[in-house]
Amino acid sequence: MSASNPSEDQMRKSAEWMSQPADDRILEVIREEGNMTPIALSRDGEVARIDIGRKWAGERCRKLAEHGLLRRIDKGLFGITDDGIAYLDEELDASELDPVEDAD
């Protein structure tokens, strides 16, 4: 029996519904730069922060908001939640999150 890899113990705990690595990058960029729209996150914006299209960025932001890692501030504008920060800081297991009722 082999010993566990210490770096594995420190990894973020994602959920089956998450799309890696896109979801992690979306959360990281919004934490670093503040509230953003999917177009601002995507390669379709003025600055390509993540190499994904606007439509995919929008779908992922809505899914992250549905599970409470992002919050919808206004139509098309998303901010990170305390749970989103906890997930990035490896303090929260995203697989334990239930969809939130007020995601829309």
Side-chain angles (χ1 to χ4, degrees), residues 62-92:
R62 287 187 294 278
K63 183 60 89 170
L64 291 165
E66 179 183 324
H67 286 85
L69 298 176
L70 290 179
R71 72 181 179 284
R72 187 181 307 239
I73 295 169
D74 200 357
K75 183 177 182 181
L77 182 64
F78 295 89
I80 195 161
T81 64
D82 290 342
D83 280 348
I85 292 168
Y87 166 76
L88 289 177
D89 292 343
E90 302 168 0
E91 298 169 355
L92 180 127

Side-chain angles (χ1 to χ4, degrees), residues 49-63:
R49 290 173 175 87
I50 307 171
D51 190 23
I52 59 175
R54 174 193 53 81
K55 184 177 178 182
W56 182 243
E59 289 176 23
R60 298 316 309 156
C61 285
R62 287 187 294 278
K63 183 60 89 170

Side-chain angles (χ1 to χ4, degrees), residues 11-66:
M11 293 178 59
R12 294 176 183 151
K13 293 178 174 61
S14 62
E16 288 182 18
W17 54 265
M18 294 181 83
S19 178
Q20 301 299 344
D23 287 358
D24 280 9
R25 280 300 297 143
I26 288 168
L27 292 167
E28 290 165 355
V29 169
I30 292 176
R31 174 165 73 171
E32 292 166 10
E33 298 190 28
N35 303 337
M36 299 196 104
T37 63
I39 197 164
L41 287 163
S42 73
R43 64 177 167 254
D44 301 324
E46 289 182 27
V47 177
R49 290 173 175 87
I50 307 171
D51 190 23
I52 59 175
R54 174 193 53 81
K55 184 177 178 182
W56 182 243
E59 289 176 23
R60 298 316 309 156
C61 285
R62 287 187 294 278
K63 183 60 89 170
L64 291 165
E66 179 183 324

